[in-house]
Amino acid sequence: QVQLVESGGGLVQPGGSLRLSCATSGFTLDYHAIGWFRQAPGKEREGVSCISASDGRTYLADSVKGRFTVSRDNAKNAVYLQMNSLKPEDTAAYYCALPPPLLPCGDSWYESNEYDYWGQGTQVTVSS
């Protein structure tokens, strides 16, 4: 029943921007945090961001602070990841993920095993 679908990835030059969307269904987004992760070939999954449910507090990995922002639109059942000043090292498949009920973004928000449901991913390639 739970479904998360990422979109918005593509090929972009260094310094460019992309906006990823996570469309959700099968649950009430208002009550859930959403995490963003990425994984490049041969590398471990990396936590990118998390946005809390009640107050919209956001968390960002040090590697993307100042360049990425995460937001949500509960009325549209969607979460967004705005990526600016993209670098080649941002190249990865990007995933949104849903943690268990009542689990907010916390001290371990960047750990992939804190999340139960995952989207299919959308590929972001930053290259000139």
PDB file of all heavy atoms in Angstrom, residues 59-93:
ATOM      1  N   TYR A  59      17.237  18.245   8.157  1.00  0.00           N
ATOM      2  CA  TYR A  59      18.588  17.812   8.449  1.00  0.00           C
ATOM      3  C   TYR A  59      19.285  17.561   7.123  1.00  0.00           C
ATOM      4  O   TYR A  59      18.698  17.011   6.191  1.00  0.00           O
ATOM      5  CB  TYR A  59      18.578  16.530   9.287  1.00  0.00           C
ATOM      6  CG  TYR A  59      17.830  16.679  10.588  1.00  0.00           C
ATOM      7  CD1 TYR A  59      16.443  16.582  10.620  1.00  0.00           C
ATOM      8  CD2 TYR A  59      18.512  16.916  11.774  1.00  0.00           C
ATOM      9  CE1 TYR A  59      15.753  16.735  11.816  1.00  0.00           C
ATOM     10  CE2 TYR A  59      17.829  17.057  12.970  1.00  0.00           C
ATOM     11  CZ  TYR A  59      16.446  16.969  12.984  1.00  0.00           C
ATOM     12  OH  TYR A  59      15.771  17.115  14.171  1.00  0.00           O
ATOM     13  N   LEU A  60      20.525  17.955   7.055  1.00  0.00           N
ATOM     14  CA  LEU A  60      21.289  17.812   5.831  1.00  0.00           C
ATOM     15  C   LEU A  60      22.672  17.273   6.140  1.00  0.00           C
ATOM     16  O   LEU A  60      23.284  17.639   7.150  1.00  0.00           O
ATOM     17  CB  LEU A  60      21.427  19.150   5.107  1.00  0.00           C
ATOM     18  CG  LEU A  60      20.150  19.770   4.521  1.00  0.00           C
ATOM     19  CD1 LEU A  60      20.415  21.217   4.121  1.00  0.00           C
ATOM     20  CD2 LEU A  60      19.674  18.970   3.326  1.00  0.00           C
ATOM     21  N   ALA A  61      23.150  16.414   5.271  1.00  0.00           N
ATOM     22  CA  ALA A  61      24.514  15.944   5.387  1.00  0.00           C
ATOM     23  C   ALA A  61      25.482  17.098   5.169  1.00  0.00           C
ATOM     24  O   ALA A  61      25.211  18.033   4.407  1.00  0.00           O
ATOM     25  CB  ALA A  61      24.778  14.834   4.373  1.00  0.00           C
ATOM     26  N   ASP A  62      26.619  17.033   5.836  1.00  0.00           N
ATOM     27  CA  ASP A  62      27.611  18.091   5.692  1.00  0.00           C
ATOM     28  C   ASP A  62      28.022  18.297   4.241  1.00  0.00           C
ATOM     29  O   ASP A  62      28.323  19.421   3.826  1.00  0.00           O
ATOM     30  CB  ASP A  62      28.838  17.779   6.539  1.00  0.00           C
ATOM     31  CG  ASP A  62      28.585  17.918   8.024  1.00  0.00           C
ATOM     32  OD1 ASP A  62      27.602  18.583   8.404  1.00  0.00           O
ATOM     33  OD2 ASP A  62      29.378  17.369   8.813  1.00  0.00           O
ATOM     34  N   SER A  63      28.025  17.230   3.477  1.00  0.00           N
ATOM     35  CA  SER A  63      28.472  17.305   2.101  1.00  0.00           C
ATOM     36  C   SER A  63      27.546  18.117   1.206  1.00  0.00           C
ATOM     37  O   SER A  63      27.953  18.525   0.114  1.00  0.00           O
ATOM     38  CB  SER A  63      28.639  15.896   1.520  1.00  0.00           C
ATOM     39  OG  SER A  63      27.418  15.183   1.568  1.00  0.00           O
ATOM     40  N   VAL A  64      26.309  18.347   1.654  1.00  0.00           N
ATOM     41  CA  VAL A  64      25.355  19.064   0.820  1.00  0.00           C
ATOM     42  C   VAL A  64      24.829  20.332   1.469  1.00  0.00           C
ATOM     43  O   VAL A  64      24.066  21.077   0.832  1.00  0.00           O
ATOM     44  CB  VAL A  64      24.173  18.161   0.415  1.00  0.00           C
ATOM     45  CG1 VAL A  64      24.670  16.903  -0.283  1.00  0.00           C
ATOM     46  CG2 VAL A  64      23.316  17.804   1.629  1.00  0.00           C
ATOM     47  N   LYS A  65      25.211  20.616   2.696  1.00  0.00           N
ATOM     48  CA  LYS A  65      24.753  21.828   3.359  1.00  0.00           C
ATOM     49  C   LYS A  65      25.161  23.060   2.564  1.00  0.00           C
ATOM     50  O   LYS A  65      26.279  23.155   2.080  1.00  0.00           O
ATOM     51  CB  LYS A  65      25.318  21.911   4.771  1.00  0.00           C
ATOM     52  CG  LYS A  65      24.652  20.990   5.765  1.00  0.00           C
ATOM     53  CD  LYS A  65      25.242  21.150   7.159  1.00  0.00           C
ATOM     54  CE  LYS A  65      24.556  20.234   8.154  1.00  0.00           C
ATOM     55  NZ  LYS A  65      25.165  20.329   9.507  1.00  0.00           N
ATOM     56  N   GLY A  66      24.234  23.985   2.459  1.00  0.00           N
ATOM     57  CA  GLY A  66      24.474  25.187   1.686  1.00  0.00           C
ATOM     58  C   GLY A  66      24.164  25.043   0.220  1.00  0.00           C
ATOM     59  O   GLY A  66      24.132  26.056  -0.496  1.00  0.00           O
ATOM     60  N   ARG A  67      23.949  23.830  -0.238  1.00  0.00           N
ATOM     61  CA  ARG A  67      23.648  23.583  -1.642  1.00  0.00           C
ATOM     62  C   ARG A  67      22.275  22.939  -1.846  1.00  0.00           C
ATOM     63  O   ARG A  67      21.600  23.238  -2.833  1.00  0.00           O
ATOM     64  CB  ARG A  67      24.712  22.691  -2.274  1.00  0.00           C
ATOM     65  CG  ARG A  67      26.117  23.285  -2.215  1.00  0.00           C
ATOM     66  CD  ARG A  67      27.113  22.456  -3.012  1.00  0.00           C
ATOM     67  NE  ARG A  67      27.244  21.097  -2.475  1.00  0.00           N
ATOM     68  CZ  ARG A  67      26.961  19.994  -3.155  1.00  0.00           C
ATOM     69  NH1 ARG A  67      26.521  20.079  -4.407  1.00  0.00           N
ATOM     70  NH2 ARG A  67      27.124  18.804  -2.602  1.00  0.00           N
ATOM     71  N   PHE A  68      21.886  22.057  -0.945  1.00  0.00           N
ATOM     72  CA  PHE A  68      20.613  21.342  -1.051  1.00  0.00           C
ATOM     73  C   PHE A  68      19.643  21.865  -0.007  1.00  0.00           C
ATOM     74  O   PHE A  68      20.040  22.269   1.092  1.00  0.00           O
ATOM     75  CB  PHE A  68      20.793  19.847  -0.818  1.00  0.00           C
ATOM     76  CG  PHE A  68      21.554  19.100  -1.882  1.00  0.00           C
ATOM     77  CD1 PHE A  68      22.257  19.754  -2.875  1.00  0.00           C
ATOM     78  CD2 PHE A  68      21.549  17.710  -1.869  1.00  0.00           C
ATOM     79  CE1 PHE A  68      22.961  19.048  -3.838  1.00  0.00           C
ATOM     80  CE2 PHE A  68      22.243  16.995  -2.829  1.00  0.00           C
ATOM     81  CZ  PHE A  68      22.948  17.665  -3.814  1.00  0.00           C
ATOM     82  N   THR A  69      18.372  21.828  -0.341  1.00  0.00           N
ATOM     83  CA  THR A  69      17.315  22.085   0.618  1.00  0.00           C
ATOM     84  C   THR A  69      16.220  21.044   0.447  1.00  0.00           C
ATOM     85  O   THR A  69      15.979  20.565  -0.656  1.00  0.00           O
ATOM     86  CB  THR A  69      16.709  23.493   0.472  1.00  0.00           C
ATOM     87  OG1 THR A  69      16.209  23.669  -0.853  1.00  0.00           O
ATOM     88  CG2 THR A  69      17.740  24.563   0.769  1.00  0.00           C
ATOM     89  N   VAL A  70      15.572  20.705   1.533  1.00  0.00           N
ATOM     90  CA  VAL A  70      14.476  19.752   1.493  1.00  0.00           C
ATOM     91  C   VAL A  70      13.220  20.440   2.007  1.00  0.00           C
ATOM     92  O   VAL A  70      13.286  21.253   2.939  1.00  0.00           O
ATOM     93  CB  VAL A  70      14.807  18.480   2.306  1.00  0.00           C
ATOM     94  CG1 VAL A  70      15.013  18.796   3.784  1.00  0.00           C
ATOM     95  CG2 VAL A  70      13.736  17.415   2.116  1.00  0.00           C
ATOM     96  N   SER A  71      12.100  20.135   1.389  1.00  0.00           N
ATOM     97  CA  SER A  71      10.834  20.737   1.779  1.00  0.00           C
ATOM     98  C   SER A  71       9.721  19.726   1.567  1.00  0.00           C
ATOM     99  O   SER A  71       9.924  18.674   0.951  1.00  0.00           O
ATOM    100  CB  SER A  71      10.565  22.021   0.981  1.00  0.00           C
ATOM    101  OG  SER A  71      10.489  21.746  -0.406  1.00  0.00           O
ATOM    102  N   ARG A  72       8.549  20.055   2.069  1.00  0.00           N
ATOM    103  CA  ARG A  72       7.416  19.156   1.911  1.00  0.00           C
ATOM    104  C   ARG A  72       6.158  19.951   1.634  1.00  0.00           C
ATOM    105  O   ARG A  72       6.008  21.100   2.047  1.00  0.00           O
ATOM    106  CB  ARG A  72       7.238  18.273   3.150  1.00  0.00           C
ATOM    107  CG  ARG A  72       6.864  19.039   4.421  1.00  0.00           C
ATOM    108  CD  ARG A  72       7.041  18.154   5.659  1.00  0.00           C
ATOM    109  NE  ARG A  72       6.134  17.020   5.648  1.00  0.00           N
ATOM    110  CZ  ARG A  72       6.420  15.824   6.159  1.00  0.00           C
ATOM    111  NH1 ARG A  72       7.614  15.596   6.710  1.00  0.00           N
ATOM    112  NH2 ARG A  72       5.514  14.854   6.112  1.00  0.00           N
ATOM    113  N   ASP A  73       5.248  19.318   0.937  1.00  0.00           N
ATOM    114  CA  ASP A  73       3.924  19.860   0.687  1.00  0.00           C
ATOM    115  C   ASP A  73       2.938  18.749   1.019  1.00  0.00           C
ATOM    116  O   ASP A  73       2.649  17.888   0.184  1.00  0.00           O
ATOM    117  CB  ASP A  73       3.775  20.327  -0.755  1.00  0.00           C
ATOM    118  CG  ASP A  73       2.473  21.067  -1.003  1.00  0.00           C
ATOM    119  OD1 ASP A  73       1.512  20.885  -0.234  1.00  0.00           O
ATOM    120  OD2 ASP A  73       2.414  21.839  -1.979  1.00  0.00           O
ATOM    121  N   ASN A  74       2.457  18.761   2.237  1.00  0.00           N
ATOM    122  CA  ASN A  74       1.592  17.674   2.688  1.00  0.00           C
ATOM    123  C   ASN A  74       0.297  17.589   1.886  1.00  0.00           C
ATOM    124  O   ASN A  74      -0.233  16.498   1.673  1.00  0.00           O
ATOM    125  CB  ASN A  74       1.273  17.835   4.172  1.00  0.00           C
ATOM    126  CG  ASN A  74       2.484  17.623   5.056  1.00  0.00           C
ATOM    127  OD1 ASN A  74       3.415  16.905   4.690  1.00  0.00           O
ATOM    128  ND2 ASN A  74       2.483  18.237   6.228  1.00  0.00           N
ATOM    129  N   ALA A  75      -0.209  18.728   1.448  1.00  0.00           N
ATOM    130  CA  ALA A  75      -1.432  18.730   0.662  1.00  0.00           C
ATOM    131  C   ALA A  75      -1.253  17.986  -0.651  1.00  0.00           C
ATOM    132  O   ALA A  75      -2.205  17.432  -1.196  1.00  0.00           O
ATOM    133  CB  ALA A  75      -1.898  20.155   0.403  1.00  0.00           C
ATOM    134  N   LYS A  76      -0.044  17.987  -1.167  1.00  0.00           N
ATOM    135  CA  LYS A  76       0.262  17.281  -2.400  1.00  0.00           C
ATOM    136  C   LYS A  76       0.908  15.924  -2.162  1.00  0.00           C
ATOM    137  O   LYS A  76       1.289  15.248  -3.122  1.00  0.00           O
ATOM    138  CB  LYS A  76       1.172  18.133  -3.282  1.00  0.00           C
ATOM    139  CG  LYS A  76       0.533  19.432  -3.747  1.00  0.00           C
ATOM    140  CD  LYS A  76       1.477  20.220  -4.634  1.00  0.00           C
ATOM    141  CE  LYS A  76       0.822  21.502  -5.123  1.00  0.00           C
ATOM    142  NZ  LYS A  76       1.742  22.296  -5.974  1.00  0.00           N
ATOM    143  N   ASN A  77       1.045  15.545  -0.910  1.00  0.00           N
ATOM    144  CA  ASN A  77       1.674  14.275  -0.548  1.00  0.00           C
ATOM    145  C   ASN A  77       3.058  14.141  -1.171  1.00  0.00           C
ATOM    146  O   ASN A  77       3.432  13.075  -1.675  1.00  0.00           O
ATOM    147  CB  ASN A  77       0.788  13.094  -0.971  1.00  0.00           C
ATOM    148  CG  ASN A  77      -0.551  13.089  -0.270  1.00  0.00           C
ATOM    149  OD1 ASN A  77      -0.622  13.254   0.949  1.00  0.00           O
ATOM    150  ND2 ASN A  77      -1.615  12.891  -1.028  1.00  0.00           N
ATOM    151  N   ALA A  78       3.814  15.208  -1.113  1.00  0.00           N
ATOM    152  CA  ALA A  78       5.092  15.233  -1.802  1.00  0.00           C
ATOM    153  C   ALA A  78       6.177  15.859  -0.938  1.00  0.00           C
ATOM    154  O   ALA A  78       5.927  16.748  -0.118  1.00  0.00           O
ATOM    155  CB  ALA A  78       4.976  15.992  -3.116  1.00  0.00           C
ATOM    156  N   VAL A  79       7.375  15.386  -1.156  1.00  0.00           N
ATOM    157  CA  VAL A  79       8.578  15.930  -0.549  1.00  0.00           C
ATOM    158  C   VAL A  79       9.553  16.247  -1.670  1.00  0.00           C
ATOM    159  O   VAL A  79       9.640  15.511  -2.657  1.00  0.00           O
ATOM    160  CB  VAL A  79       9.196  14.945   0.459  1.00  0.00           C
ATOM    161  CG1 VAL A  79      10.501  15.492   1.021  1.00  0.00           C
ATOM    162  CG2 VAL A  79       8.222  14.668   1.598  1.00  0.00           C
ATOM    163  N   TYR A  80      10.281  17.337  -1.511  1.00  0.00           N
ATOM    164  CA  TYR A  80      11.157  17.804  -2.566  1.00  0.00           C
ATOM    165  C   TYR A  80      12.583  17.943  -2.059  1.00  0.00           C
ATOM    166  O   TYR A  80      12.825  18.263  -0.895  1.00  0.00           O
ATOM    167  CB  TYR A  80      10.686  19.160  -3.101  1.00  0.00           C
ATOM    168  CG  TYR A  80       9.236  19.150  -3.515  1.00  0.00           C
ATOM    169  CD1 TYR A  80       8.257  19.686  -2.691  1.00  0.00           C
ATOM    170  CD2 TYR A  80       8.849  18.600  -4.731  1.00  0.00           C
ATOM    171  CE1 TYR A  80       6.926  19.675  -3.065  1.00  0.00           C
ATOM    172  CE2 TYR A  80       7.521  18.579  -5.112  1.00  0.00           C
ATOM    173  CZ  TYR A  80       6.563  19.118  -4.283  1.00  0.00           C
ATOM    174  OH  TYR A  80       5.247  19.104  -4.657  1.00  0.00           O
ATOM    175  N   LEU A  81      13.509  17.720  -2.950  1.00  0.00           N
ATOM    176  CA  LEU A  81      14.917  17.954  -2.677  1.00  0.00           C
ATOM    177  C   LEU A  81      15.455  18.863  -3.769  1.00  0.00           C
ATOM    178  O   LEU A  81      15.616  18.441  -4.913  1.00  0.00           O
ATOM    179  CB  LEU A  81      15.698  16.641  -2.632  1.00  0.00           C
ATOM    180  CG  LEU A  81      17.178  16.752  -2.258  1.00  0.00           C
ATOM    181  CD1 LEU A  81      17.330  17.202  -0.805  1.00  0.00           C
ATOM    182  CD2 LEU A  81      17.895  15.434  -2.490  1.00  0.00           C
ATOM    183  N   GLN A  82      15.688  20.109  -3.405  1.00  0.00           N
ATOM    184  CA  GLN A  82      16.250  21.075  -4.334  1.00  0.00           C
ATOM    185  C   GLN A  82      17.764  21.000  -4.253  1.00  0.00           C
ATOM    186  O   GLN A  82      18.339  21.192  -3.182  1.00  0.00           O
ATOM    187  CB  GLN A  82      15.774  22.494  -3.997  1.00  0.00           C
ATOM    188  CG  GLN A  82      16.342  23.579  -4.902  1.00  0.00           C
ATOM    189  CD  GLN A  82      15.846  23.470  -6.321  1.00  0.00           C
ATOM    190  OE1 GLN A  82      14.651  23.282  -6.547  1.00  0.00           O
ATOM    191  NE2 GLN A  82      16.748  23.585  -7.283  1.00  0.00           N
ATOM    192  N   MET A  83      18.394  20.740  -5.365  1.00  0.00           N
ATOM    193  CA  MET A  83      19.828  20.547  -5.420  1.00  0.00           C
ATOM    194  C   MET A  83      20.434  21.631  -6.299  1.00  0.00           C
ATOM    195  O   MET A  83      20.168  21.694  -7.503  1.00  0.00           O
ATOM    196  CB  MET A  83      20.177  19.159  -5.967  1.00  0.00           C
ATOM    197  CG  MET A  83      19.493  18.023  -5.219  1.00  0.00           C
ATOM    198  SD  MET A  83      20.025  16.387  -5.785  1.00  0.00           S
ATOM    199  CE  MET A  83      19.448  16.444  -7.485  1.00  0.00           C
ATOM    200  N   ASN A  84      21.238  22.477  -5.701  1.00  0.00           N
ATOM    201  CA  ASN A  84      21.910  23.552  -6.407  1.00  0.00           C
ATOM    202  C   ASN A  84      23.414  23.352  -6.345  1.00  0.00           C
ATOM    203  O   ASN A  84      23.923  22.592  -5.524  1.00  0.00           O
ATOM    204  CB  ASN A  84      21.543  24.908  -5.794  1.00  0.00           C
ATOM    205  CG  ASN A  84      20.069  25.210  -5.855  1.00  0.00           C
ATOM    206  OD1 ASN A  84      19.383  24.850  -6.811  1.00  0.00           O
ATOM    207  ND2 ASN A  84      19.564  25.894  -4.829  1.00  0.00           N
ATOM    208  N   SER A  85      24.110  24.062  -7.200  1.00  0.00           N
ATOM    209  CA  SER A  85      25.572  24.009  -7.235  1.00  0.00           C
ATOM    210  C   SER A  85      26.072  22.573  -7.265  1.00  0.00           C
ATOM    211  O   SER A  85      26.966  22.182  -6.511  1.00  0.00           O
ATOM    212  CB  SER A  85      26.160  24.759  -6.036  1.00  0.00           C
ATOM    213  OG  SER A  85      25.742  26.107  -6.020  1.00  0.00           O
ATOM    214  N   LEU A  86      25.503  21.798  -8.143  1.00  0.00           N
ATOM    215  CA  LEU A  86      25.805  20.378  -8.186  1.00  0.00           C
ATOM    216  C   LEU A  86      27.252  20.116  -8.585  1.00  0.00           C
ATOM    217  O   LEU A  86      27.828  20.827  -9.414  1.00  0.00           O
ATOM    218  CB  LEU A  86      24.855  19.669  -9.139  1.00  0.00           C
ATOM    219  CG  LEU A  86      23.453  19.453  -8.570  1.00  0.00           C
ATOM    220  CD1 LEU A  86      22.456  19.162  -9.681  1.00  0.00           C
ATOM    221  CD2 LEU A  86      23.468  18.310  -7.552  1.00  0.00           C
ATOM    222  N   LYS A  87      27.796  19.087  -7.979  1.00  0.00           N
ATOM    223  CA  LYS A  87      29.165  18.674  -8.207  1.00  0.00           C
ATOM    224  C   LYS A  87      29.181  17.259  -8.773  1.00  0.00           C
ATOM    225  O   LYS A  87      28.242  16.496  -8.557  1.00  0.00           O
ATOM    226  CB  LYS A  87      29.955  18.700  -6.892  1.00  0.00           C
ATOM    227  CG  LYS A  87      29.948  20.031  -6.165  1.00  0.00           C
ATOM    228  CD  LYS A  87      30.651  19.903  -4.824  1.00  0.00           C
ATOM    229  CE  LYS A  87      30.654  21.220  -4.073  1.00  0.00           C
ATOM    230  NZ  LYS A  87      31.316  21.091  -2.756  1.00  0.00           N
ATOM    231  N   PRO A  88      30.250  16.886  -9.463  1.00  0.00           N
ATOM    232  CA  PRO A  88      30.324  15.510  -9.961  1.00  0.00           C
ATOM    233  C   PRO A  88      30.155  14.463  -8.872  1.00  0.00           C
ATOM    234  O   PRO A  88      29.573  13.402  -9.135  1.00  0.00           O
ATOM    235  CB  PRO A  88      31.720  15.450 -10.599  1.00  0.00           C
ATOM    236  CG  PRO A  88      31.976  16.845 -11.039  1.00  0.00           C
ATOM    237  CD  PRO A  88      31.356  17.712  -9.967  1.00  0.00           C
ATOM    238  N   GLU A  89      30.631  14.738  -7.676  1.00  0.00           N
ATOM    239  CA  GLU A  89      30.493  13.778  -6.593  1.00  0.00           C
ATOM    240  C   GLU A  89      29.063  13.616  -6.100  1.00  0.00           C
ATOM    241  O   GLU A  89      28.785  12.740  -5.277  1.00  0.00           O
ATOM    242  CB  GLU A  89      31.418  14.133  -5.421  1.00  0.00           C
ATOM    243  CG  GLU A  89      31.297  15.568  -4.945  1.00  0.00           C
ATOM    244  CD  GLU A  89      32.366  16.471  -5.534  1.00  0.00           C
ATOM    245  OE1 GLU A  89      32.612  16.376  -6.754  1.00  0.00           O
ATOM    246  OE2 GLU A  89      32.963  17.267  -4.781  1.00  0.00           O
ATOM    247  N   ASP A  90      28.154  14.454  -6.575  1.00  0.00           N
ATOM    248  CA  ASP A  90      26.740  14.276  -6.275  1.00  0.00           C
ATOM    249  C   ASP A  90      26.092  13.214  -7.160  1.00  0.00           C
ATOM    250  O   ASP A  90      24.929  12.867  -6.944  1.00  0.00           O
ATOM    251  CB  ASP A  90      25.978  15.587  -6.438  1.00  0.00           C
ATOM    252  CG  ASP A  90      26.416  16.646  -5.444  1.00  0.00           C
ATOM    253  OD1 ASP A  90      26.620  16.320  -4.264  1.00  0.00           O
ATOM    254  OD2 ASP A  90      26.542  17.824  -5.865  1.00  0.00           O
ATOM    255  N   THR A  91      26.811  12.730  -8.144  1.00  0.00           N
ATOM    256  CA  THR A  91      26.274  11.717  -9.047  1.00  0.00           C
ATOM    257  C   THR A  91      25.920  10.454  -8.273  1.00  0.00           C
ATOM    258  O   THR A  91      26.762   9.876  -7.584  1.00  0.00           O
ATOM    259  CB  THR A  91      27.282  11.390 -10.148  1.00  0.00           C
ATOM    260  OG1 THR A  91      27.489  12.554 -10.956  1.00  0.00           O
ATOM    261  CG2 THR A  91      26.783  10.259 -11.030  1.00  0.00           C
ATOM    262  N   ALA A  92      24.679  10.039  -8.369  1.00  0.00           N
ATOM    263  CA  ALA A  92      24.200   8.875  -7.629  1.00  0.00           C
ATOM    264  C   ALA A  92      22.748   8.635  -7.986  1.00  0.00           C
ATOM    265  O   ALA A  92      22.088   9.481  -8.600  1.00  0.00           O
ATOM    266  CB  ALA A  92      24.331   9.094  -6.120  1.00  0.00           C
ATOM    267  N   ALA A  93      22.252   7.480  -7.583  1.00  0.00           N
ATOM    268  CA  ALA A  93      20.821   7.244  -7.562  1.00  0.00           C
ATOM    269  C   ALA A  93      20.273   7.787  -6.250  1.00  0.00           C
ATOM    270  O   ALA A  93      20.807   7.492  -5.180  1.00  0.00           O
ATOM    271  CB  ALA A  93      20.505   5.761  -7.700  1.00  0.00           C
TER     272      ALA A  93
END
